[in-house]
Amino acid sequence: MASRAFSYRDYTVGWVCALPKEQTASIVMLDVRHADLPSPPRDPNVYTLGSIDDHNVVIACLPKNRLGNNASATVAAHMLDTFPSIKFGLMVGIGGGIPRKVRLGDVVVSAPTERYPGVVQWDYGKAEQGGIFERIGALSPPPTLLLTALAKLESQHEMASSKIPDFLDDLKKNYPRRAPRYLKSDSLKALPFRQDYNHQTKRDMEKAEVAMQDDHSPDTDTYEEEEDERDNGCQLCDPTKLINRKPRDMQIHYGLIASDQVLCFEMEAAGLINDFPCLIIRGICDYADSPKNKDWQEHSAAVAAAYAKELLGFIPLSSLDSISTVVDIMMKNVKAQTTELRQFIKEWIEDPRGKSIFWLKGMAGTGKSTLSRTIAQECADRHQLSASFFFKRGEGDRSNAARFFPTLTTQLIIAVPALNPLICNVVDQDPTILRKTLREQFHQLIWQPLFQLQSQSQWIKKVVIVIDALDECDREGDIKIIILLLSQLQELVPLRTLVTSRPELPIRLGFKRLKEGSYQDFILQDIPPPIVKHDILVFLRHEFAEFRASFSLNSDWPKQEDIDSLVCMAIPLFNFAKTICLFVKDLRLNPKQRLAIILRYKAASQASNLDRTYLPVLDQLLVGQTKVETARLIKEFQEVVGAIIVLASPLSVVALAELL
């Protein structure tokens, strides 16, 4: 165990395993174990810390019985959130090999080919004409640093033997109780069968016996597949179908994982590598065309971990200084994608042949509202924004469609003054229009005036309407009607409508009813938690640097652990970060005292995000005030906050009458 104390920022190698036995094989390869660090909030991972050569390594395993791409992506996201200095990742474990290319106990390392970058989702793609299946799941290639180390290690193995046997000898010496399971023994048999052979399992044999007795095949639903049935390997297979092969030592292969023309199949890497550029290292424990066999799993996990250890020895620690952290790389990718999307939407607005509706969809936290506000501001700067409506569930008129079209109409009159007399004429003829159905409001207040203006050749400027969070409209029926009505604006060439929402069922059904090709859509991906954390961290560092300059404070204030605590308290709310910065700027108290007050609330785990954001401010509102000043502040608070509450949730006529 290392005596030196390490922090989260000292670890530069992220090591992920899918199974506990893979994690065990990885841990025993550590040169030195480090003491555990306190469990960070909001991170369910359990980490093992240590070092190999000069590299500090953090090892994490997927939750038990939760395998696959989603689980690996979640573990990686939390790891990067907690350990922000990680420069690259390794996913180390077991996989199924292609019989004629690899053997049990071999190692397969993901390496790019001409067509694919090393890891491919073999079941992810699209159907093309002629029944051709085109795979589109090729993911990010390994970092150049790892590829360079791979090339050097491969050359070394051409000249001298691998150190994997030496590392396995160390395992036997240091962990003698683990040696029988993780080292190769005579009991491990590689049984390669002919490719055209149909393997036999215990369940197959039982079915055949029942069929012979009952003269018909049984209902397969009456048979339960048990663990020992799946893992009996080839004990029941016909030994005459075996292929005779000369014995050889373990070999290392470089190529594709989980595709056609591959060396190895596995389940987790595709989910991991998309957000976590890394190298995949797999020990071959069974053959992809044969029944599952657990006999080789421990040994195969050990050889994979030993290869990963040998690889780290070919990466000089100093070389890490020249490469970005994974979080920084992800930041650049997200910003580049956002810039590209904004440019794409701008081109859609300007394109005379573009669809009238652009549906920007994504789950909560993907940045839809932020992006819609940014685009709205950019359109306003170009004098293109004509109207906008931001739905908000639970906030009075913003949560229903009753004022939707009248609100757009009011803004359109301001943006396109020529509409004023046309719309005024509509209101004069039908003063009750605001109480009419959505269809009537749309046709009389929006469609007819715009169509009339276009027919008079008075409409020249581009009109852009931005509608945010349509899914937060209370009535599902209103959502479908709004989508259908907006699609009718297609005939009005200079008009474009940007709609953002979650891809919830009412929205999907609403767009499904439209004619094919009548709208443009785009899916926003989740913003990884490390990106959110990084943005808040950068903001707080900038603000506190200004505090230090303004108040002539020491350069070591605040401490890094205090900044980290504020970041953890803020995630995922930027409003929290902004509020505490405004609070610290208050001149009535020293900034250090203000910060200490904020940090006292970090232990309030039961407090809601709203309480943690505003209670520190409200609790200090009356500190140091006279009785007269206290009464004034309370009155002002009631008037301001009370007005906001009334506006957000308007009182009924009866309630207002009682107040008056």
Side-chain angles (χ1 to χ4, degrees):
M1 187 72 69
S3 58
R4 175 195 160 189
F6 293 90
S7 71
Y8 293 114
R9 297 180 181 277
D10 290 325
Y11 293 86
T12 55
V13 180
W15 186 312
V16 179
C17 303
L19 300 171
K21 61 188 66 177
E22 297 172 351
Q23 181 176 233
T24 300
S26 300
I27 292 173
V28 299
M29 291 298 159
L30 293 172
D31 293 332
V32 180
R33 286 281 298 273
H34 297 171
D36 293 340
L37 291 171
S39 298
R42 301 186 182 91
D43 185 351
N45 292 347
V46 176
Y47 300 104
T48 300
L49 309 176
S51 61
I52 293 177
D53 282 340
D54 296 325
H55 299 282
N56 288 336
V57 179
V58 51
I59 300 175
C61 184
L62 272 58
K64 189 172 179 62
N65 296 328
R66 291 188 181 179
L67 305 179
N69 294 344
N70 291 338
S72 59
T74 300
V75 168
H78 285 301
M79 176 184 285
L80 294 174
D81 192 17
T82 301
F83 298 89
S85 299
I86 288 177
K87 298 295 184 78
F88 62 87
L90 301 173
M91 189 161 195
V92 183
I94 57 177
I98 306 303
R100 293 196 176 185
K101 299 181 180 181
V102 300
R103 296 192 185 185
L104 303 188
D106 284 357
V107 176
V108 174
V109 184
S110 62
T113 64
E114 292 182 1
R115 187 177 179 186
Y116 295 115
V119 177
V120 178
Q121 284 185 266
W122 64 275
D123 59 347
Y124 184 56
K126 59 182 179 180
E128 299 287 1
Q129 277 189 322
I132 298 174
F133 183 77
E134 179 185 350
R135 291 188 178 87
I136 57 176
L139 302 170
S140 304
T144 303
L145 175 69
L146 291 182
L147 296 179
T148 303
L150 280 185
K152 185 176 181 180
L153 180 55
E154 188 174 3
S155 296
Q156 177 65 24
H157 289 164
E158 291 289 332
M159 299 180 291
S161 59
S162 169
K163 291 185 178 180
I164 291 178
D166 297 334
F167 295 146
L168 295 181
D169 287 342
D170 292 339
L171 186 159
K172 182 178 181 180
K173 183 191 308 179
N174 299 327
Y175 300 91
R177 292 178 56 191
R178 297 281 176 255
R181 294 180 61 190
Y182 286 86
L183 298 183
K184 189 174 182 179
S185 64
D186 294 338
S187 63
L188 294 179
K189 304 292 184 182
L191 302 175
F193 284 83
R194 288 168 41 181
Q195 284 188 320
D196 59 353
Y197 177 63
N198 186 18
H199 292 265
Q200 299 296 310
T201 65
K202 182 178 178 181
R203 185 177 181 184
D204 294 331
M205 299 292 288
E206 290 177 349
K207 285 184 181 180
E209 292 176 2
V210 173
M212 292 177 62
Q213 294 173 2
D214 298 344
D215 196 30
H216 69 275
S217 297
D219 183 355
T220 56
D221 291 339
T222 62
Y223 288 84
E224 295 184 1
E225 188 175 9
E226 298 180 359
E227 183 71 17
D228 58 351
E229 291 178 1
R230 294 198 310 271
D231 300 331
N232 64 356
C234 293
Q235 296 175 7
L236 302 176
C237 295
D238 184 355
T240 64
K241 305 299 182 181
L242 283 169
I243 300 173
N244 292 322
R245 295 196 300 192
K246 294 181 180 180
R248 65 163 173 77
D249 293 331
M250 178 272 300
Q251 291 185 0
I252 300 167
H253 309 266
Y254 300 89
L256 293 183
I257 291 180
S259 175
D260 60 353
Q261 301 181 358
V262 297
L263 300 171
C264 170
F265 282 90
E266 59 88 71
M267 296 173 56
E268 290 76 32
L272 174 69
I273 200 170
N274 206 21
D275 288 333
F276 192 179
C278 63
L279 196 70
I280 313 301
I281 303 170
R282 290 300 189 216
I284 303 303
C285 64
D286 52 30
Y287 293 119
D289 65 348
S290 301
K292 186 176 180 181
N293 188 337
K294 287 191 173 183
D295 293 344
W296 282 79
Q297 288 187 353
E298 285 83 359
H299 174 65
S300 298
V303 294
Y307 177 88
K309 177 173 183 173
E310 185 175 15
L311 176 65
L312 288 178
F314 280 76
I315 302 175
L317 184 63
S318 58
S319 66
L320 299 186
D321 297 335
S322 62
I323 64 173
S324 302
T325 65
V326 176
V327 173
D328 288 338
I329 294 172
M330 295 167 65
M331 280 286 298
K332 293 177 183 177
N333 291 341
V334 168
K335 290 179 179 178
Q337 292 168 4
T338 302
T339 301
E340 291 176 4
L341 178 56
R342 286 162 52 193
Q343 180 61 31
F344 183 65
I345 293 176
K346 180 182 177 181
E347 293 173 358
W348 161 74
I349 292 172
E350 301 292 346
D351 185 1
R353 296 171 299 177
K355 308 294 190 300
S356 65
I357 300 179
F358 192 112
W359 179 26
L360 188 63
K361 51 188 172 181
M363 301 304 293
T366 54
K368 299 183 301 296
S369 294
T370 300
L371 190 56
S372 64
R373 285 177 172 84
T374 301
I375 293 170
Q377 184 59 54
E378 291 175 346
C379 289
D381 294 341
R382 297 193 300 267
H383 304 289
Q384 291 178 326
L385 181 67
S386 299
S388 63
F389 195 97
F390 288 66
F391 282 95
K392 182 70 173 176
R393 184 172 287 115
E395 292 202 6
D397 289 338
R398 290 183 60 196
S399 64
N400 64 70
R403 297 290 182 266
F404 175 68
F405 286 121
T407 300
L408 296 184
T409 301
T410 302
Q411 297 175 66
L412 284 171
I413 291 174
I414 298 172
V416 187
L419 286 172
N420 190 27
L422 301 176
I423 294 175
C424 286
N425 184 50
V426 171
V427 176
D428 289 340
Q429 293 182 6
D430 187 358
T432 64
I433 187 63
L434 297 183
R435 296 194 292 273
K436 295 293 182 65
T437 65
L438 290 177
R439 293 178 184 274
E440 291 174 301
Q441 289 182 0
F442 170 77
H443 284 290
Q444 295 187 50
L445 294 176
I446 304 289
W447 169 255
Q448 291 179 5
L450 288 176
F451 181 78
Q452 188 176 354
L453 192 65
Q454 184 175 3
S455 64
Q456 296 173 358
S457 301
Q458 298 183 43
W459 190 0
I460 299 176
K461 68 174 289 185
K462 182 77 68 175
V463 172
V464 177
I465 298 174
V466 176
I467 302 169
D468 182 61
L470 180 57
D471 56 292
E472 297 200 23
C473 179
D474 286 339
R475 289 172 51 86
E476 294 183 2
D478 289 347
I479 292 175
K480 297 175 184 177
I481 291 174
I482 287 173
I483 294 172
L484 180 63
L485 295 175
L486 290 175
S487 70
Q488 297 178 15
L489 297 174
Q490 177 74 32
E491 300 177 26
L492 303 175
V493 178
L495 194 143
R496 297 288 182 268
T497 304
L498 173 67
V499 177
T500 72
S501 76
R502 301 180 190 182
E504 295 183 352
L505 183 60
I507 306 283
R508 299 200 307 271
L509 292 177
F511 278 101
K512 190 175 182 179
R513 293 168 60 186
L514 304 185
K515 293 181 180 179
E516 186 176 354
S518 62
Y519 66 92
Q520 181 96 31
D521 65 344
F522 187 90
I523 302 175
L524 273 177
Q525 302 299 327
D526 290 344
I527 299 177
I531 303 271
V532 177
K533 181 176 182 178
H534 180 272
D535 285 348
I536 294 176
L537 177 62
V538 170
F539 173 77
L540 290 175
R541 283 177 174 170
H542 175 267
E543 291 296 306
F544 278 98
E546 289 193 348
F547 298 161
R548 287 195 297 269
S550 300
F551 292 90
S552 300
L553 299 171
N554 295 334
S555 60
D556 60 349
W557 181 86
K559 297 178 181 178
Q560 183 58 51
E561 54 262 36
D562 291 339
I563 291 288
D564 291 341
S565 296
L566 293 176
V567 171
C568 290
M569 293 170 68
I571 292 174
L573 300 176
F574 258 100
N575 277 343
F576 178 92
K578 294 177 182 177
T579 301
I580 61 176
C581 288
L582 291 173
F583 179 65
V584 173
K585 283 182 180 178
D586 193 318
L587 298 178
R588 290 181 299 161
L589 283 178
N590 184 287
K592 293 184 178 180
Q593 295 174 313
R594 290 278 177 177
L595 179 59
I597 291 170
I598 293 288
L599 291 174
R600 285 206 297 265
Y601 287 83
K602 69 179 180 180
S605 58
Q606 301 302 318
S608 66
N609 286 334
L610 192 66
D611 289 342
R612 286 205 305 270
T613 302
Y614 296 111
L615 276 181
V617 179
L618 296 177
D619 287 346
Q620 297 299 308
L621 185 64
L622 305 179
V623 171
Q625 305 293 344
T626 64
K627 290 184 177 180
V628 175
E629 189 67 14
T630 297
R632 183 186 67 80
L633 288 172
I634 291 176
K635 185 174 183 296
E636 288 182 355
F637 179 83
Q638 291 173 335
E639 291 175 348
V640 174
V641 177
I644 293 173
I645 293 173
V646 170
L647 289 172
S649 301
L651 297 176
S652 64
V653 175
V654 175
L656 286 172
E658 291 180 358
L659 287 176
L660 297 175

